[in-house]
Amino acid sequence: MVNITAPLRIGYVLFPAFTAMDVFGPLQVLNLVSITHNMTLSLLSTDLEPVSVDRTIVDGVSGGMLGSSASPDFTQFVLPTHTFSDAPELDVVFVPGGAGARNINGTQPHVDWLRRRLAMDDDPHQQQQQQQLKYVMSVCTGASLVARTGRIAGRNATTNKAAFTWVRSVEHAEDVNWIARARWVVDGNLWTSSGVSAGTDMTLGWVEHMYGRNESERVRVMMEWNALNRTDDPFAGYYGLT
Amino acid sequence: MVNITAPLRIGYVLFPAFTAMDVFGPLQVLNLVSITHNMTLSLLSTDLEPVSVDRTIVDGVSGGMLGSSASPDFTQFVLPTHTFSDAPELDVVFVPGGAGARNINGTQPHVDWLRRRLAMDDDPHQQQQQQQLKYVMSVCTGASLVARTGRIAGRNATTNKAAFTWVRSVEHAEDVNWIARARWVVDGNLWTSSGVSAGTDMTLGWVEHMYGRNESERVRVMMEWNALNRTDDPFAGYYGLT
């Protein structure tokens, strides 16, 4: 259990066509933790316009889009609470995945912002001016945005099993040590989960790390969540990854 | 597997302080199904204003609110796609739970709208004018809103296990046959799930019912979801229900 002396400030990166449960599974955990522990939960985007939820999937091998996009009349939108430029100081950043992660140009502002936050780790001058980011958490193909910052070379990480090959193909991803069989991977302050539902298991694991097993179990039973542990990964085999 | 001859029109009821995962778990399933099957997914509210996600829980026995509400600066909001009055014709309605379900006055418009939709089952004249609702699905304490319509007397249903006593106390709930030990319960066109995560298992079960096992499994592995079956309920015992 980590000794916490101040409220934790947690931000979620939103981009168009993010996968809803990559955000709202982990956030469900933290919404419940925030009842008993002092934390702020912010949703961050380039501006305050509503951000769309994905209803398309993308072929893991070719990167081709499958299925039809939703009609604009039926698109689901979530409101950011802050922009990147007016974001509060943050201790923890969550990065979801989704069809929109394949939009390299569209997510470049998000990657650039992440790179600046991650760069603080190595810049003692900046650390004096800004709070250091304590944890970077990615869910599903959100790992591709973190990899694209070029700041996690040599680190262990995992990602969505159906999209594993694609994530390994993005810029700078060849420098990352991708772990195929893992519900989630912890390497220092970098926590990365497998696809969609795995983000919620990782978040419960992180709550245990931060606040202890009693708190993670309190939240898990409140959510009636059927948990998998860090090394439980039935999906790597399903997708032929070893 | 049901023989489907037309696109399915599915609506979610949103009320202030709904539980995010009660909506976005089932919706994650259906967003993926909607890639291969023709359906519309709408988010319905009294008006088009953003609807808040809950960050409070409520004591299951006394009904008292626990924990602090979120600061307005950090409230999560989802945008409705339609109002009740301009809602498209619907085949299926999902009702989430959440702290806001305890707000009886605040959710009365939602209950009144649900009652009118459910009433169609018994009114052959109305059926000629409007499509009949084929399925009513509730997640977590969303069952309290369905019970309050007074239209499910004598039916089998379940709900959140931590809030079981409270749900049984709402108006008309004494006429419902509440099943304590069940991940979800099916009684004709009424599908009701246990708390939060159980709604996603129920939705996968409903996808199997509608589209077959291959489709529900395609979506489950895409979500990397660790499923519980209809009769798997480790949480009833945890909360001392038999």
Side-chain angles (χ1 to χ4, degrees):
Chain A
M1 203 183 314
V2 173
N3 184 15
I4 300 166
T5 54
L8 263 191
R9 297 157 301 182
I10 301 175
Y12 283 73
V13 172
L14 302 185
F15 51 80
F18 73 91
T19 291
M21 207 166 106
D22 290 7
V23 167
F24 284 108
L27 198 47
Q28 181 64 48
V29 172
L30 296 178
N31 279 341
L32 291 171
V33 173
S34 74
I35 295 165
T36 46
H37 293 83
N38 197 357
M39 59 174 58
T40 59
L41 297 163
S42 51
L43 305 179
L44 308 168
S45 183
T46 50
D47 54 45
L48 292 177
E49 291 299 304
V51 184
S52 64
V53 167
D54 76 357
R55 282 184 62 195
T56 53
I57 54 169
V58 178
D59 182 295
V61 178
S62 72
M65 291 296 227
L66 302 175
S68 58
S69 292
S71 150
D73 288 349
F74 294 99
T75 300
Q76 302 143 27
F77 286 105
V78 175
L79 288 184
T81 62
H82 299 80
T83 68
F84 291 135
S85 54
D86 76 359
E89 286 303 303
L90 293 170
D91 304 298
V92 186
V93 169
F94 276 81
V95 186
R102 312 278 180 144
N103 182 352
I104 300 295
N105 289 336
T107 53
Q108 197 59 49
H110 307 71
V111 170
D112 291 341
W113 177 82
L114 270 173
R115 182 185 300 110
R116 289 192 298 273
R117 306 300 306 220
L118 292 170
M120 283 184 249
D121 287 351
D122 300 331
D123 184 341
H125 181 68
Q126 276 212 359
Q127 280 181 33
Q128 293 172 354
Q129 300 174 316
Q130 284 199 293
Q131 181 75 27
Q132 191 174 345
L133 210 52
K134 295 189 181 77
Y135 296 95
V136 178
M137 325 278 291
S138 73
V139 179
C140 196
T141 56
S144 70
L145 280 77
V146 182
R148 284 165 54 202
T149 65
R151 307 293 309 185
I152 62 165
R155 307 282 286 272
N156 296 323
T158 196
T159 187
N160 181 298
K161 297 307 147 63
F164 209 73
T165 304
W166 175 76
V167 172
R168 294 180 69 162
S169 76
V170 303
E171 193 180 18
H172 300 303
E174 74 274 15
D175 301 325
V176 177
N177 181 30
W178 295 102
I179 311 285
R181 187 176 298 275
R183 190 67 169 166
W184 73 91
V185 167
V186 179
D187 185 346
N189 67 349
L190 177 67
W191 292 53
T192 54
S193 87
S194 187
V196 192
S197 312
T200 302
D201 282 320
M202 175 182 73
T203 307
L204 285 164
W206 182 78
V207 168
E208 180 177 346
H209 162 73
M210 294 296 289
Y211 302 104
R213 178 80 175 173
N214 283 353
E215 178 66 0
S216 65
E217 276 295 287
R218 180 187 75 82
V219 169
R220 188 185 69 78
V221 298
M222 184 76 64
M223 290 175 61
E224 302 191 21
W225 180 261
N226 186 30
L228 287 175
N229 291 315
R230 179 153 55 146
T231 54
D232 294 339
D233 183 9
F235 301 101
Y238 180 87
Y239 287 106
L241 303 169
T242 51
Chain B
M1 202 182 315
V2 174
N3 185 15
I4 300 165
T5 54
L8 264 190
R9 297 157 303 181
I10 302 175
Y12 283 72
V13 172
L14 302 185
F15 51 82
F18 73 91
T19 291
M21 207 166 107
D22 290 8
V23 168
F24 285 108
L27 198 46
Q28 181 64 47
V29 172
L30 296 177
N31 279 341
L32 290 171
V33 173
S34 74
I35 295 165
T36 46
H37 293 85
N38 197 357
M39 59 174 59
T40 59
L41 298 163
S42 50
L43 305 179
L44 309 168
S45 182
T46 50
D47 54 43
L48 292 177
E49 291 298 305
V51 184
S52 63
V53 167
D54 76 356
R55 282 184 61 195
T56 54
I57 54 169
V58 178
D59 182 295
V61 178
S62 72
M65 291 296 230
L66 302 176
S68 57
S69 291
S71 149
D73 287 350
F74 293 98
T75 301
Q76 302 143 28
F77 286 104
V78 175
L79 287 184
T81 62
H82 299 80
T83 68
F84 290 135
S85 54
D86 76 358
E89 287 302 304
L90 293 170
D91 304 297
V92 186
V93 169
F94 276 80
V95 186
R102 312 279 179 141
N103 182 352
I104 300 295
N105 289 337
T107 54
Q108 197 60 48
H110 307 71
V111 170
D112 292 342
W113 177 81
L114 270 173
R115 182 185 299 110
R116 289 194 297 274
R117 305 301 307 221
L118 292 170
M120 282 184 246
D121 287 353
D122 300 332
D123 185 339
H125 182 67
Q126 275 212 359
Q127 279 180 32
Q128 293 171 355
Q129 301 175 316
Q130 285 198 294
Q131 180 76 27
Q132 190 175 345
L133 209 53
K134 295 189 182 77
Y135 296 95
V136 178
M137 325 280 290
S138 73
V139 179
C140 195
T141 55
S144 71
L145 280 77
V146 182
R148 285 165 54 202
T149 66
R151 308 292 309 184
I152 63 165
R155 307 282 285 273
N156 297 324
T158 197
T159 187
N160 181 299
K161 297 306 147 61
F164 208 73
T165 305
W166 175 76
V167 171
R168 293 179 69 161
S169 75
V170 304
E171 192 179 18
H172 301 304
E174 73 275 14
D175 302 326
V176 178
N177 180 30
W178 295 102
I179 312 286
R181 188 177 296 275
R183 189 67 169 166
W184 73 90
V185 167
V186 179
D187 186 346
N189 68 348
L190 177 67
W191 292 52
T192 54
S193 88
S194 187
V196 192
S197 313
T200 303
D201 281 321
M202 175 181 74
T203 306
L204 285 165
W206 181 78
V207 168
E208 180 176 346
H209 163 73
M210 295 296 289
Y211 303 104
R213 178 80 176 172
N214 282 353
E215 178 66 359
S216 64
E217 276 293 287
R218 180 187 74 82
V219 169
R220 187 185 70 79
V221 298
M222 184 76 62
M223 290 175 62
E224 302 190 21
W225 179 261
N226 186 30
L228 287 175
N229 290 317
R230 179 151 56 145
T231 55
D232 294 340
D233 183 8
F235 301 101
Y238 179 87
Y239 287 106
L241 303 169
T242 51

